[in-house]
Amino acid sequence: MSDSLERPQLAQARVSVEDGVVVVTLTGEVDLVNAEEVRAALQARLDARPAGLVVDLAVEFLGSPGLAVLVEIDRDAARQEVPFGVVASTRAAALPLVLTGLDDALRVFGSAPEAVRSLRTG
């Protein structure tokens, strides 16, 4: 294997709370290797019943397993009556959502502050 090939950075999560809304910022890559770990981390935040849950996709790559996680969390958030939104401000995050039509199925925002405001006001 060539030394010029770097192992991709798997997703890292940073969590903050703004006006009672939990914002989980994901960086790196969300793919088959780590989608279940990402799902479990988001589910744990959702199960705490916050005023809202925002996933800020500051990722370099979002694969189909990551898209499936977003759909699952959206479904579970609706079942628990927790407002849920996704921030897709980069091409790496927005393009997969647009190509799959999930930008119409999920509440997608251009920034975390916009998402927090929207989820807090209904």
Side-chain angles (χ1 to χ4, degrees):
M1 183 176 279
S2 170
D3 289 336
S4 65
L5 294 177
E6 294 182 26
R7 182 175 180 166
Q9 175 66 41
L10 295 180
Q12 299 291 313
R14 186 178 69 245
V15 179
S16 62
V17 179
E18 301 174 27
D19 293 330
V21 176
V22 173
V23 178
V24 179
T25 302
L26 296 176
T27 59
E29 299 187 358
V30 181
D31 57 20
L32 184 61
V33 173
N34 62 353
E36 182 56 31
E37 181 181 331
V38 170
R39 187 204 62 73
L42 294 176
Q43 189 67 52
R45 296 295 175 179
L46 181 60
D47 289 346
R49 300 282 178 114
L53 177 62
V54 173
V55 177
D56 186 350
L57 296 170
V59 295
E60 297 169 19
F61 177 78
L62 179 61
S64 58
L67 296 171
V69 166
L70 295 175
V71 171
E72 291 171 19
I73 295 298
D74 180 61
R75 180 197 63 216
D76 291 348
R79 197 175 303 143
Q80 294 183 31
E81 299 181 352
V82 174
F84 175 68
V86 175
V87 175
S89 59
T90 66
R91 179 176 169 80
L95 188 59
L97 294 172
V98 170
L99 291 176
T100 59
L102 287 176
D103 61 322
D104 291 327
L106 301 171
R107 293 178 72 182
V108 179
F109 301 93
S111 71
E114 176 191 358
V116 170
R117 272 192 310 275
S118 181
L119 296 186
R120 288 297 295 157
T121 61

